[in-house]
């Protein structure tokens, strides 16, 4: 009897995992990846105008924002509007320090980011990612956004500059499928360990 209950529970968990993958993949198919600062990345060198950079993009829910920088000299802190305006990183919502940080847009509204290294925000190393409320059911990038052709590794081509400084900064976000498979495997393993 106990084995039969475990088998039924395992099938239910597997079905839930498959349903989660299908739901998330339908959203991820239309997601775009934006490298903050394009080829320059997240830096104080070169007087990058991050406000202008963000103003030229159309951010949507499920898009991915990538911050690439040297972690010895920079970081990424998500802050509230007041912290953003005042360049105050004393109470961040989140802090990222890997040098290759990805943030998935999960809601409409503003996402405020700055570098918490003293003087960097004041020098312009801050960005306001404004995600508009979608007026249609589609979350595909607008026609004004340059979308890269289908490269073999779309994330790598979107976040690492090619031989040209005009490398595309936006591409389809397909690699979520692998992440979702891993999540499903972890959920299944957790279930099996709990029910041994």
């Amino acid at each position: 009897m106990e084995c039969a209950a475990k088998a039924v529970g395992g099938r239910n968990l597997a079905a839930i995992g498959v349903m989660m993958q299908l739901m998330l993949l339908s959203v991820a198919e239309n997601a775009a990846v934006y490298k903050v600062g394009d080829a320059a990345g997240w830096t104080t060198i070169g007087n990058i105008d991050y406000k202008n950079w963000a103003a030229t993009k159309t951010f949507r829910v499920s898009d991915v924002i990538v911050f690439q920088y040297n972690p010895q000299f920079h970081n990424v802190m998500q802050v509230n509007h007041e912290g953003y305006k005042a360049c105050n990183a004393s109470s961040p919502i989140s802090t990222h320090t890997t040098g290759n940080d990805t943030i998935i847009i999960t809601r409409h509204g503003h996402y405020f980011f700055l570098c918490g290294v003293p003087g960097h925000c004041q020098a312009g190393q801050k960005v306001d990612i404004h995600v508009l409320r979608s007026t249609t059911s589609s979350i595909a990038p607008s026609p004004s956004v340059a979308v890269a052709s289908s490269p073999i590794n779309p994330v790598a081509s979107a976040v690492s500059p090619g031989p040209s400084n005009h490398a595309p900064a936006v591409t389809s976000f397909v690699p979520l499928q692998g992440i979702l498979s891993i999540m499903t495997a972890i959920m299944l393993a957790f279930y099996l360990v709990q029910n041994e």
Side-chain angles (χ1 to χ4, degrees), residues 13 21 30-31 50 64 72 105 112 120 147 161 174 182 192:
L13 185 62
Q21 281 185 329
N30 294 322
Y50 293 106
V64 178
Q72 293 178 336
I105 302 295
F112 299 103
H120 288 200
V147 177
V174 178
I182 292 168
L192 293 174

Side-chain angles (χ1 to χ4, degrees), residues 31-43 48 50 53-54 57 59-60 62-70 74-78 96-105 111 113-114 125-127 129 131 153-161 168-176 179:
V33 176
Y34 293 93
K35 179 181 172 190
V36 177
D38 294 328
W42 185 241
T43 183
I48 309 301
Y50 293 106
W53 174 86
K57 311 293 186 252
F59 301 106
R60 302 191 188 285
S62 80
D63 285 349
V64 178
I65 309 301
V66 178
F67 288 87
Q68 285 189 332
Y69 56 93
N70 184 334
H74 306 287
N75 59 37
V76 177
M77 294 186 164
Q78 184 176 357
H96 308 274
T97 59
T98 69
N100 191 23
D101 306 319
T102 58
I103 289 103
I104 298 174
I105 302 295
Y111 287 75
F113 299 98
L114 54 82
Q125 196 175 7
K126 65 181 188 174
V127 65
I129 305 292
V131 182
N153 187 347
V155 173
S157 69
V159 297
S160 53
V170 179
T171 189
S172 296
F173 191 67
V174 178
L176 266 181
I179 294 169

Side-chain angles (χ1 to χ4, degrees), residues 101-166:
D101 306 319
T102 58
I103 289 103
I104 298 174
I105 302 295
T106 58
R107 60 172 173 73
H108 69 279
H110 291 268
Y111 287 75
F112 299 103
F113 299 98
L114 54 82
C115 180
V117 174
H120 288 200
C121 179
Q122 292 83 349
Q125 196 175 7
K126 65 181 188 174
V127 65
D128 172 4
I129 305 292
H130 185 199
V131 182
L132 298 174
R133 186 182 303 267
S134 179
T135 56
T136 65
S137 61
S138 171
I139 55 172
S142 71
S144 64
V145 175
V147 177
S149 61
S150 300
I152 294 172
N153 187 347
V155 173
S157 69
V159 297
S160 53
S164 164
N165 283 341
H166 303 292

Side-chain angles (χ1 to χ4, degrees), residues 8-32:
V8 170
R11 277 187 248 136
N12 288 341
L13 185 62
I16 290 170
V18 169
M19 288 176 17
M20 283 178 49
Q21 281 185 329
L22 292 174
M23 287 187 315
L24 290 173
L25 284 176
S26 67
V27 172
E29 282 182 3
N30 294 322

